[in-house]
Amino acid sequence: MSFENWAAFAAASSILLVIPGPTILLVVSYALGQGWRTALPMAVGVALGDFTAMTLSMLGIGALLAASATVFTMLKVIGAGYLIYLGIKLFRAGGALKAEPRTDAVSAAKMMAHAWLVTALNPKSITFFVAFLPQFLDRHADFWSQMLIFETTFLTLAFANAFGYALIASRARAIVRNPKAIRIFNRTGGTLLVGAGIATVAMRSAN
């Protein structure tokens, strides 16, 4: 794997993680209601959930890659179309971040488990990884080393993102409830998703 390919994956992952989704809504809800103490257990739970979803996705992609180059290429094209669809949907989304404060007393272990469940058991997570990851995989390089690098990179970024959101929500609540800021996140993320999908289709056409 080239450094450029890893850097592109890290940059795309960083941007996509910032976009508020079900997991971030949960993190913000706990942080709004219970403060900064939620940051660490929620971030750990999110990272574990992403590890579960990403591992399942990568194993499935690995099986397809080993089975047929044609099938893997079809997956990349279908994945590109899915990214464009997600991008358009996200771009058109509103600017509201509907996260109500959770004031119920919950232990750190339960918060971590809740974050893991929401992240790992969300069918959209696995679907997204199946669409997103093939865009960066090199079929001619060792799959397992790529899996290790991609997972380590994404999970580190996911932990930092969830931790950061929890701290911001607990310290600067107006920011996470600012419709203008959320709208900027959505439109930026949507544009980048569409761009990633179009770039993949363009590369396939060029080949």
Side-chain angles (χ1 to χ4, degrees):
M1 180 195 304
S2 67
F3 174 79
E4 291 77 11
N5 197 41
W6 172 84
F9 172 81
S13 297
S14 298
I15 295 168
L16 294 171
L17 281 167
V18 172
I19 300 168
T23 297
I24 293 303
L25 289 177
L26 182 69
V27 171
V28 170
S29 293
Y30 272 109
L32 288 174
Q34 302 186 35
W36 64 268
R37 76 179 187 89
T38 65
L40 182 58
M42 293 303 291
V44 171
V46 169
L48 290 175
D50 277 326
F51 171 76
T52 303
M54 196 173 185
T55 299
L56 291 174
S57 302
M58 289 288 282
L59 292 177
I61 292 169
L64 289 174
L65 192 155
S68 168
T70 302
V71 172
F72 183 69
T73 299
M74 289 176 60
L75 177 63
K76 293 188 71 170
V77 174
I78 293 172
Y82 181 65
L83 291 179
I84 293 173
Y85 163 76
L86 286 180
I88 294 172
K89 185 177 179 180
L90 183 61
F91 189 90
R92 299 175 62 184
L97 185 60
K98 299 178 181 179
E100 296 299 324
R102 298 183 65 97
T103 56
D104 48 318
V106 179
S107 67
K110 288 186 177 180
M111 280 191 282
M112 183 173 65
H114 195 179
W116 173 77
L117 284 171
V118 170
T119 306
L121 301 184
N122 182 2
K124 291 183 179 180
S125 296
I126 295 178
T127 304
F128 172 75
F129 281 129
V130 170
F132 180 65
L133 291 169
Q135 316 308 323
F136 300 94
L137 280 172
D138 181 355
R139 190 174 183 276
H140 302 290
D142 180 66
F143 172 77
W144 298 107
S145 62
Q146 291 183 88
M147 179 176 174
L148 177 62
I149 293 171
F150 282 149
E151 289 212 23
T152 301
T153 300
F154 192 90
L155 297 180
T156 300
L157 293 172
F159 176 90
N161 182 65
F163 193 86
Y165 255 110
L167 290 181
I168 292 172
S170 64
R171 299 291 184 180
R173 301 183 180 191
I175 295 177
V176 297
R177 289 186 164 180
N178 187 327
K180 185 177 180 180
I182 302 305
R183 191 176 295 110
I184 291 173
F185 282 148
N186 288 342
R187 291 184 177 178
T188 301
T191 300
L192 291 169
L193 281 175
V194 171
I198 292 175
T200 300
V201 173
M203 285 190 292
R204 292 309 311 165
S205 299
N207 294 335

